[in-house]
Amino acid sequence: MTDSPPPLTKVQKAEIARQERLAREAAALRANLRRRKQQSRARADSTGDETAPSPAAGTTDSGS
């Protein structure tokens, strides 16, 4: 006999979706920053080395 919460309104559903979207975007930005820092460190470690790693496929600096 558990009471179920009242159904969500369209506004509440939209707000939940917005927050989830923002959380996913923030996680993607953190992952991208982490990857770019690793690439930068790898380049710094191999200064003067002609085989510096190129940026990961699919990454751009579009700033969107």
Side-chain angles (χ1 to χ4, degrees):
M1 272 207 3
T2 60
D3 292 330
S4 62
L8 298 175
T9 66
K10 286 183 180 181
V11 172
Q12 290 170 323
K13 287 180 183 180
E15 179 62 20
I16 290 169
R18 185 183 73 84
Q19 289 177 359
E20 289 174 348
R21 188 170 55 250
L22 288 174
R24 284 193 304 271
E25 184 178 344
L29 289 171
R30 285 191 299 270
N32 189 24
L33 178 60
R34 192 177 315 118
R35 186 171 55 249
R36 290 177 63 153
K37 281 184 177 181
Q38 289 172 343
Q39 290 173 349
S40 177
R41 283 191 210 109
R43 276 188 227 105
D45 289 346
S46 63
T47 53
D49 188 1
E50 295 290 327
T51 61
S54 59
T59 59
T60 60
D61 221 3
S62 64
S64 57

Short mmCIF file of all heavy atoms in Angstrom, two decimals:
data_model
loop_
_atom_site.label_atom_id
_atom_site.label_comp_id
_atom_site.label_asym_id
_atom_site.label_seq_id
_atom_site.Cartn_x
_atom_site.Cartn_y
_atom_site.Cartn_z
N MET A 1 0.81 -1.19 0.00
CA MET A 1 0.00 0.00 0.00
C MET A 1 0.85 1.26 0.00
O MET A 1 0.83 2.02 0.93
CB MET A 1 -0.87 0.00 1.24
CG MET A 1 -2.12 -0.72 0.95
SD MET A 1 -3.53 -0.38 1.74
CE MET A 1 -4.01 0.58 2.78
N THR A 2 1.61 1.42 -1.04
CA THR A 2 2.42 2.63 -1.12
C THR A 2 1.68 3.68 -1.92
O THR A 2 1.01 3.39 -2.91
CB THR A 2 3.78 2.34 -1.79
OG1 THR A 2 3.53 1.84 -3.10
CG2 THR A 2 4.59 1.33 -1.00
N ASP A 3 1.78 4.89 -1.45
CA ASP A 3 1.17 6.00 -2.17
C ASP A 3 2.08 6.41 -3.31
O ASP A 3 3.26 6.68 -3.10
CB ASP A 3 0.95 7.19 -1.23
CG ASP A 3 -0.09 6.90 -0.17
OD1 ASP A 3 -1.00 6.10 -0.47
OD2 ASP A 3 0.01 7.46 0.93
N SER A 4 1.52 6.44 -4.49
CA SER A 4 2.33 6.89 -5.62
C SER A 4 2.25 8.41 -5.71
O SER A 4 1.22 9.00 -5.36
CB SER A 4 1.83 6.25 -6.92
OG SER A 4 0.50 6.65 -7.17
N PRO A 5 3.33 9.04 -6.14
CA PRO A 5 3.31 10.50 -6.24
C PRO A 5 2.32 10.94 -7.32
O PRO A 5 2.02 10.17 -8.24
CB PRO A 5 4.74 10.85 -6.63
CG PRO A 5 5.30 9.61 -7.21
CD PRO A 5 4.58 8.47 -6.57
N PRO A 6 1.80 12.12 -7.21
CA PRO A 6 0.87 12.59 -8.23
C PRO A 6 1.58 12.70 -9.57
O PRO A 6 2.80 12.89 -9.62
CB PRO A 6 0.45 13.97 -7.73
CG PRO A 6 1.51 14.38 -6.79
CD PRO A 6 2.07 13.12 -6.21
N PRO A 7 0.85 12.54 -10.66
CA PRO A 7 1.50 12.62 -11.98
C PRO A 7 2.13 14.00 -12.20
O PRO A 7 1.62 15.00 -11.71
CB PRO A 7 0.36 12.37 -12.97
CG PRO A 7 -0.90 12.52 -12.19
CD PRO A 7 -0.57 12.31 -10.75
N LEU A 8 3.24 14.01 -12.92
CA LEU A 8 3.95 15.26 -13.17
C LEU A 8 3.24 16.07 -14.24
O LEU A 8 2.69 15.52 -15.20
CB LEU A 8 5.37 14.97 -13.61
CG LEU A 8 6.26 14.23 -12.61
CD1 LEU A 8 7.60 13.90 -13.23
CD2 LEU A 8 6.46 15.07 -11.36
N THR A 9 3.29 17.36 -14.09
CA THR A 9 2.73 18.25 -15.11
C THR A 9 3.72 18.37 -16.26
O THR A 9 4.89 17.98 -16.14
CB THR A 9 2.45 19.65 -14.55
OG1 THR A 9 3.71 20.25 -14.21
CG2 THR A 9 1.55 19.60 -13.33
N LYS A 10 3.28 18.93 -17.38
CA LYS A 10 4.16 19.13 -18.52
C LYS A 10 5.33 20.03 -18.15
O LYS A 10 6.46 19.81 -18.56
CB LYS A 10 3.39 19.75 -19.69
CG LYS A 10 2.48 18.79 -20.39
CD LYS A 10 1.82 19.45 -21.58
CE LYS A 10 0.91 18.48 -22.29
NZ LYS A 10 0.26 19.08 -23.48
N VAL A 11 5.06 21.05 -17.34
CA VAL A 11 6.12 21.97 -16.92
C VAL A 11 7.15 21.24 -16.07
O VAL A 11 8.36 21.42 -16.25
CB VAL A 11 5.52 23.17 -16.15
CG1 VAL A 11 6.61 24.03 -15.55
CG2 VAL A 11 4.62 23.99 -17.05
N GLN A 12 6.70 20.39 -15.16
CA GLN A 12 7.63 19.64 -14.31
C GLN A 12 8.45 18.67 -15.15
O GLN A 12 9.65 18.53 -14.94
CB GLN A 12 6.86 18.88 -13.22
CG GLN A 12 6.25 19.80 -12.17
CD GLN A 12 5.30 19.06 -11.25
OE1 GLN A 12 4.56 18.18 -11.68
NE2 GLN A 12 5.31 19.43 -9.97
N LYS A 13 7.81 17.99 -16.10
CA LYS A 13 8.54 17.07 -16.98
C LYS A 13 9.58 17.82 -17.81
O LYS A 13 10.70 17.34 -17.99
CB LYS A 13 7.57 16.34 -17.90
CG LYS A 13 6.74 15.29 -17.20
CD LYS A 13 5.80 14.61 -18.18
CE LYS A 13 4.92 13.61 -17.48
NZ LYS A 13 4.00 12.95 -18.41
N ALA A 14 9.21 18.98 -18.31
CA ALA A 14 10.15 19.78 -19.10
C ALA A 14 11.33 20.22 -18.26
O ALA A 14 12.48 20.22 -18.73
CB ALA A 14 9.43 20.99 -19.69
N GLU A 15 11.07 20.61 -17.03
CA GLU A 15 12.16 21.05 -16.13
C GLU A 15 13.10 19.88 -15.82
O GLU A 15 14.33 20.05 -15.82
CB GLU A 15 11.57 21.63 -14.85
CG GLU A 15 12.62 22.08 -13.85
CD GLU A 15 13.53 23.18 -14.35
OE1 GLU A 15 13.16 23.89 -15.30
OE2 GLU A 15 14.63 23.35 -13.78
N ILE A 16 12.54 18.71 -15.58
CA ILE A 16 13.37 17.53 -15.31
C ILE A 16 14.23 17.21 -16.53
O ILE A 16 15.43 16.95 -16.42
CB ILE A 16 12.49 16.33 -14.90
CG1 ILE A 16 11.89 16.58 -13.51
CG2 ILE A 16 13.30 15.04 -14.92
CD1 ILE A 16 10.81 15.59 -13.13
N ALA A 17 13.62 17.25 -17.71
CA ALA A 17 14.36 16.97 -18.94
C ALA A 17 15.47 18.00 -19.14
O ALA A 17 16.58 17.65 -19.56
CB ALA A 17 13.41 16.97 -20.14
N ARG A 18 15.17 19.26 -18.85
CA ARG A 18 16.18 20.33 -19.01
C ARG A 18 17.36 20.09 -18.07
O ARG A 18 18.53 20.19 -18.46
CB ARG A 18 15.54 21.69 -18.71
CG ARG A 18 16.47 22.87 -18.96
CD ARG A 18 15.81 24.18 -18.58
NE ARG A 18 15.72 24.33 -17.13
CZ ARG A 18 16.72 24.79 -16.37
NH1 ARG A 18 17.86 25.15 -16.91
NH2 ARG A 18 16.58 24.89 -15.07
N GLN A 19 17.06 19.74 -16.82
CA GLN A 19 18.13 19.50 -15.86
C GLN A 19 18.97 18.29 -16.26
O GLN A 19 20.20 18.30 -16.13
CB GLN A 19 17.54 19.30 -14.46
CG GLN A 19 16.99 20.58 -13.87
CD GLN A 19 16.34 20.37 -12.51
OE1 GLN A 19 16.26 19.25 -12.01
NE2 GLN A 19 15.84 21.44 -11.92
N GLU A 20 18.32 17.24 -16.75
CA GLU A 20 19.07 16.06 -17.19
C GLU A 20 19.95 16.39 -18.38
O GLU A 20 21.10 15.94 -18.47
CB GLU A 20 18.10 14.92 -17.52
CG GLU A 20 17.43 14.33 -16.30
CD GLU A 20 16.36 13.32 -16.65
OE1 GLU A 20 15.96 13.21 -17.83
OE2 GLU A 20 15.90 12.63 -15.72
N ARG A 21 19.42 17.19 -19.31
CA ARG A 21 20.20 17.60 -20.48
C ARG A 21 21.42 18.42 -20.05
O ARG A 21 22.53 18.21 -20.55
CB ARG A 21 19.30 18.38 -21.43
CG ARG A 21 19.92 18.70 -22.76
CD ARG A 21 18.92 19.27 -23.76
NE ARG A 21 18.22 20.44 -23.24
CZ ARG A 21 16.92 20.47 -22.90
NH1 ARG A 21 16.18 19.39 -23.01
NH2 ARG A 21 16.38 21.57 -22.44
N LEU A 22 21.23 19.34 -19.13
CA LEU A 22 22.35 20.15 -18.64
C LEU A 22 23.39 19.29 -17.93
O LEU A 22 24.59 19.52 -18.06
CB LEU A 22 21.83 21.25 -17.69
CG LEU A 22 21.07 22.39 -18.37
CD1 LEU A 22 20.48 23.32 -17.31
CD2 LEU A 22 21.96 23.16 -19.31
N ALA A 23 22.93 18.30 -17.17
CA ALA A 23 23.87 17.41 -16.47
C ALA A 23 24.69 16.61 -17.48
O ALA A 23 25.91 16.45 -17.30
CB ALA A 23 23.10 16.48 -15.53
N ARG A 24 24.04 16.12 -18.54
CA ARG A 24 24.77 15.37 -19.57
C ARG A 24 25.78 16.28 -20.28
O ARG A 24 26.91 15.87 -20.54
CB ARG A 24 23.80 14.77 -20.60
CG ARG A 24 23.05 13.55 -20.11
CD ARG A 24 22.36 12.83 -21.26
NE ARG A 24 21.45 13.69 -22.00
CZ ARG A 24 20.17 13.89 -21.72
NH1 ARG A 24 19.62 13.27 -20.68
NH2 ARG A 24 19.43 14.68 -22.46
N GLU A 25 25.37 17.50 -20.57
CA GLU A 25 26.26 18.44 -21.24
C GLU A 25 27.47 18.76 -20.36
O GLU A 25 28.61 18.79 -20.84
CB GLU A 25 25.51 19.73 -21.58
CG GLU A 25 26.33 20.71 -22.36
CD GLU A 25 25.54 21.96 -22.73
OE1 GLU A 25 24.31 21.96 -22.65
OE2 GLU A 25 26.19 22.95 -23.08
N ALA A 26 27.23 18.97 -19.07
CA ALA A 26 28.33 19.26 -18.15
C ALA A 26 29.30 18.08 -18.07
O ALA A 26 30.52 18.26 -18.05
CB ALA A 26 27.78 19.61 -16.77
N ALA A 27 28.75 16.86 -18.03
CA ALA A 27 29.61 15.67 -17.98
C ALA A 27 30.44 15.56 -19.26
O ALA A 27 31.63 15.22 -19.19
CB ALA A 27 28.76 14.42 -17.79
N ALA A 28 29.84 15.84 -20.40
CA ALA A 28 30.57 15.78 -21.66
C ALA A 28 31.68 16.83 -21.70
O ALA A 28 32.79 16.56 -22.17
CB ALA A 28 29.62 15.97 -22.84
N LEU A 29 31.39 18.03 -21.19
CA LEU A 29 32.41 19.08 -21.16
C LEU A 29 33.57 18.70 -20.24
O LEU A 29 34.73 18.93 -20.57
CB LEU A 29 31.79 20.40 -20.70
CG LEU A 29 30.86 21.08 -21.71
CD1 LEU A 29 30.15 22.25 -21.06
CD2 LEU A 29 31.64 21.53 -22.93
N ARG A 30 33.24 18.10 -19.09
CA ARG A 30 34.32 17.67 -18.18
C ARG A 30 35.18 16.59 -18.84
O ARG A 30 36.41 16.62 -18.74
CB ARG A 30 33.73 17.15 -16.87
CG ARG A 30 33.23 18.25 -15.95
CD ARG A 30 32.90 17.72 -14.57
NE ARG A 30 31.86 16.72 -14.59
CZ ARG A 30 30.56 16.96 -14.48
NH1 ARG A 30 30.14 18.20 -14.34
NH2 ARG A 30 29.69 15.97 -14.50
N ALA A 31 34.54 15.64 -19.52
CA ALA A 31 35.29 14.57 -20.19
C ALA A 31 36.17 15.15 -21.28
O ALA A 31 37.33 14.73 -21.45
CB ALA A 31 34.33 13.54 -20.77
N ASN A 32 35.64 16.11 -22.03
CA ASN A 32 36.42 16.74 -23.10
C ASN A 32 37.62 17.49 -22.53
O ASN A 32 38.73 17.39 -23.04
CB ASN A 32 35.52 17.69 -23.90
CG ASN A 32 36.19 18.21 -25.14
OD1 ASN A 32 37.10 17.59 -25.68
ND2 ASN A 32 35.76 19.36 -25.61
N LEU A 33 37.40 18.22 -21.44
CA LEU A 33 38.50 18.95 -20.80
C LEU A 33 39.57 17.98 -20.30
O LEU A 33 40.77 18.20 -20.49
CB LEU A 33 37.97 19.79 -19.64
CG LEU A 33 39.01 20.58 -18.86
CD1 LEU A 33 39.73 21.56 -19.77
CD2 LEU A 33 38.34 21.30 -17.71
N ARG A 34 39.14 16.89 -19.68
CA ARG A 34 40.08 15.88 -19.18
C ARG A 34 40.91 15.31 -20.33
O ARG A 34 42.14 15.19 -20.22
CB ARG A 34 39.28 14.77 -18.49
CG ARG A 34 40.11 13.81 -17.68
CD ARG A 34 39.25 12.77 -16.94
NE ARG A 34 38.10 13.36 -16.29
CZ ARG A 34 36.82 13.07 -16.58
NH1 ARG A 34 36.53 12.20 -17.52
NH2 ARG A 34 35.82 13.64 -15.94
N ARG A 35 40.25 15.00 -21.45
CA ARG A 35 40.94 14.44 -22.61
C ARG A 35 41.93 15.46 -23.18
O ARG A 35 43.08 15.11 -23.51
CB ARG A 35 39.92 14.03 -23.67
CG ARG A 35 40.51 13.32 -24.86
CD ARG A 35 39.44 12.74 -25.77
NE ARG A 35 38.47 13.74 -26.21
CZ ARG A 35 37.19 13.78 -25.82
NH1 ARG A 35 36.72 12.89 -24.97
NH2 ARG A 35 36.38 14.72 -26.26
N ARG A 36 41.52 16.71 -23.26
CA ARG A 36 42.42 17.74 -23.80
C ARG A 36 43.61 17.97 -22.89
O ARG A 36 44.73 18.21 -23.36
CB ARG A 36 41.65 19.03 -24.03
CG ARG A 36 40.67 18.90 -25.20
CD ARG A 36 39.86 20.13 -25.39
NE ARG A 36 40.73 21.26 -25.72
CZ ARG A 36 40.36 22.30 -26.42
NH1 ARG A 36 39.13 22.38 -26.87
NH2 ARG A 36 41.19 23.28 -26.66
N LYS A 37 43.41 17.90 -21.59
CA LYS A 37 44.54 18.05 -20.66
C LYS A 37 45.53 16.90 -20.84
O LYS A 37 46.75 17.12 -20.82
CB LYS A 37 44.04 18.07 -19.21
CG LYS A 37 43.46 19.39 -18.77
CD LYS A 37 43.10 19.34 -17.32
CE LYS A 37 42.59 20.67 -16.81
NZ LYS A 37 42.24 20.60 -15.38
N GLN A 38 45.00 15.67 -21.00
CA GLN A 38 45.88 14.53 -21.21
C GLN A 38 46.68 14.70 -22.49
O GLN A 38 47.88 14.42 -22.53
CB GLN A 38 45.07 13.24 -21.27
CG GLN A 38 44.50 12.82 -19.93
CD GLN A 38 43.55 11.65 -20.04
OE1 GLN A 38 43.06 11.32 -21.12
NE2 GLN A 38 43.25 11.01 -18.92
N GLN A 39 46.02 15.18 -23.56
CA GLN A 39 46.72 15.38 -24.83
C GLN A 39 47.80 16.45 -24.67
O GLN A 39 48.90 16.32 -25.20
CB GLN A 39 45.74 15.79 -25.91
CG GLN A 39 44.81 14.66 -26.33
CD GLN A 39 43.72 15.14 -27.28
OE1 GLN A 39 43.53 16.34 -27.46
NE2 GLN A 39 43.00 14.20 -27.86
N SER A 40 47.47 17.50 -23.94
CA SER A 40 48.43 18.58 -23.73
C SER A 40 49.64 18.08 -22.95
O SER A 40 50.79 18.40 -23.27
CB SER A 40 47.75 19.73 -22.98
OG SER A 40 48.67 20.76 -22.71
N ARG A 41 49.38 17.27 -21.91
CA ARG A 41 50.49 16.71 -21.13
C ARG A 41 51.35 15.81 -22.00
O ARG A 41 52.58 15.82 -21.90
CB ARG A 41 49.95 15.93 -19.94
CG ARG A 41 49.49 16.81 -18.81
CD ARG A 41 49.22 15.98 -17.56
NE ARG A 41 48.18 16.63 -16.80
CZ ARG A 41 46.94 16.20 -16.66
NH1 ARG A 41 46.57 15.06 -17.21
NH2 ARG A 41 46.06 16.86 -15.95
N ALA A 42 50.70 15.01 -22.84
CA ALA A 42 51.44 14.09 -23.70
C ALA A 42 52.33 14.89 -24.66
O ALA A 42 53.48 14.52 -24.91
CB ALA A 42 50.48 13.20 -24.48
N ARG A 43 51.81 16.01 -25.18
CA ARG A 43 52.62 16.85 -26.08
C ARG A 43 53.77 17.48 -25.32
O ARG A 43 54.88 17.57 -25.83
CB ARG A 43 51.75 17.94 -26.71
CG ARG A 43 51.02 17.45 -27.93
CD ARG A 43 50.33 18.60 -28.64
NE ARG A 43 48.97 18.18 -28.95
CZ ARG A 43 47.89 18.59 -28.30
NH1 ARG A 43 47.97 19.46 -27.34
NH2 ARG A 43 46.71 18.13 -28.63
N ALA A 44 53.51 17.93 -24.09
CA ALA A 44 54.55 18.56 -23.30
C ALA A 44 55.65 17.55 -22.94
O ALA A 44 56.83 17.89 -22.90
CB ALA A 44 53.96 19.16 -22.02
N ASP A 45 55.24 16.30 -22.69
CA ASP A 45 56.20 15.26 -22.35
C ASP A 45 57.08 14.90 -23.55
O ASP A 45 58.21 14.44 -23.38
CB ASP A 45 55.49 13.99 -21.87
CG ASP A 45 54.86 14.19 -20.50
OD1 ASP A 45 55.20 15.19 -19.83
OD2 ASP A 45 54.02 13.36 -20.10
N SER A 46 56.57 15.11 -24.74
CA SER A 46 57.32 14.71 -25.94
C SER A 46 57.80 15.93 -26.71
O SER A 46 57.79 15.93 -27.93
CB SER A 46 56.44 13.83 -26.82
OG SER A 46 55.31 14.55 -27.26
N THR A 47 58.22 16.97 -26.01
CA THR A 47 58.71 18.18 -26.69
C THR A 47 59.91 17.82 -27.55
O THR A 47 60.79 17.07 -27.14
CB THR A 47 59.10 19.27 -25.68
OG1 THR A 47 60.00 18.73 -24.73
CG2 THR A 47 57.88 19.83 -24.99
N GLY A 48 59.90 18.36 -28.76
CA GLY A 48 60.97 18.05 -29.69
C GLY A 48 60.78 16.73 -30.39
O GLY A 48 61.57 16.36 -31.26
N ASP A 49 59.73 16.01 -30.05
CA ASP A 49 59.46 14.72 -30.65
C ASP A 49 58.48 14.92 -31.81
O ASP A 49 57.44 15.53 -31.66
CB ASP A 49 58.85 13.78 -29.62
CG ASP A 49 58.70 12.35 -30.12
OD1 ASP A 49 59.09 12.09 -31.28
OD2 ASP A 49 58.19 11.51 -29.36
N GLU A 50 58.83 14.40 -32.97
CA GLU A 50 57.99 14.60 -34.16
C GLU A 50 56.70 13.79 -34.10
O GLU A 50 55.81 14.00 -34.90
CB GLU A 50 58.78 14.21 -35.41
CG GLU A 50 59.98 15.09 -35.67
CD GLU A 50 59.57 16.49 -36.10
OE1 GLU A 50 58.54 16.63 -36.77
OE2 GLU A 50 60.29 17.45 -35.78
N THR A 51 56.58 12.85 -33.17
CA THR A 51 55.40 11.97 -33.13
C THR A 51 54.40 12.41 -32.08
O THR A 51 53.80 11.59 -31.41
CB THR A 51 55.84 10.52 -32.88
OG1 THR A 51 56.50 10.48 -31.61
CG2 THR A 51 56.74 10.00 -33.98
N ALA A 52 54.20 13.71 -31.93
CA ALA A 52 53.21 14.20 -30.96
C ALA A 52 51.82 13.75 -31.39
O ALA A 52 51.51 13.75 -32.58
CB ALA A 52 53.27 15.72 -30.88
N PRO A 53 50.98 13.34 -30.45
CA PRO A 53 49.65 12.83 -30.81
C PRO A 53 48.78 13.93 -31.41
O PRO A 53 48.84 15.09 -31.01
CB PRO A 53 49.07 12.35 -29.48
CG PRO A 53 49.84 13.09 -28.45
CD PRO A 53 51.20 13.35 -29.03
N SER A 54 47.99 13.53 -32.38
CA SER A 54 47.07 14.49 -32.99
C SER A 54 45.77 14.50 -32.18
O SER A 54 45.50 13.56 -31.42
CB SER A 54 46.78 14.09 -34.43
OG SER A 54 46.23 12.81 -34.46
N PRO A 55 44.95 15.54 -32.31
CA PRO A 55 43.68 15.58 -31.57
C PRO A 55 42.82 14.36 -31.87
O PRO A 55 42.89 13.81 -32.97
CB PRO A 55 43.00 16.86 -32.08
CG PRO A 55 44.12 17.68 -32.63
CD PRO A 55 45.15 16.72 -33.13
N ALA A 56 42.03 13.95 -30.91
CA ALA A 56 41.19 12.77 -31.06
C ALA A 56 40.19 12.99 -32.19
O ALA A 56 39.72 14.09 -32.43
CB ALA A 56 40.46 12.47 -29.77
N ALA A 57 39.87 11.93 -32.90
CA ALA A 57 38.90 12.02 -33.99
C ALA A 57 37.55 12.46 -33.45
O ALA A 57 37.13 12.02 -32.39
CB ALA A 57 38.78 10.66 -34.67
N GLY A 58 36.91 13.32 -34.19
CA GLY A 58 35.57 13.77 -33.79
C GLY A 58 35.57 14.94 -32.86
O GLY A 58 34.51 15.41 -32.48
N THR A 59 36.73 15.44 -32.46
CA THR A 59 36.75 16.61 -31.58
C THR A 59 36.99 17.84 -32.40
O THR A 59 37.80 17.86 -33.32
CB THR A 59 37.86 16.49 -30.50
OG1 THR A 59 39.11 16.36 -31.15
CG2 THR A 59 37.62 15.32 -29.58
N THR A 60 36.24 18.88 -32.06
CA THR A 60 36.41 20.16 -32.76
C THR A 60 36.43 21.27 -31.72
O THR A 60 36.09 21.06 -30.57
CB THR A 60 35.25 20.44 -33.73
OG1 THR A 60 34.04 20.47 -32.99
CG2 THR A 60 35.18 19.37 -34.82
N ASP A 61 36.82 22.42 -32.15
CA ASP A 61 36.87 23.58 -31.27
C ASP A 61 35.76 24.55 -31.67
O ASP A 61 35.98 25.73 -31.78
CB ASP A 61 38.25 24.24 -31.38
CG ASP A 61 38.77 24.69 -30.04
OD1 ASP A 61 38.08 24.43 -29.04
OD2 ASP A 61 39.86 25.29 -29.99
N SER A 62 34.56 24.01 -31.93
CA SER A 62 33.48 24.83 -32.46
C SER A 62 32.90 25.78 -31.42
O SER A 62 32.31 26.78 -31.77
CB SER A 62 32.37 23.94 -33.01
OG SER A 62 31.81 23.18 -31.97
N GLY A 63 33.02 25.47 -30.13
CA GLY A 63 32.54 26.35 -29.09
C GLY A 63 31.02 26.42 -29.00
O GLY A 63 30.46 27.40 -28.58
N SER A 64 30.34 25.37 -29.42
CA SER A 64 28.87 25.42 -29.40
C SER A 64 28.28 25.18 -28.06
O SER A 64 28.72 24.70 -27.14
CB SER A 64 28.29 24.42 -30.37
OG SER A 64 28.74 23.12 -30.11
#
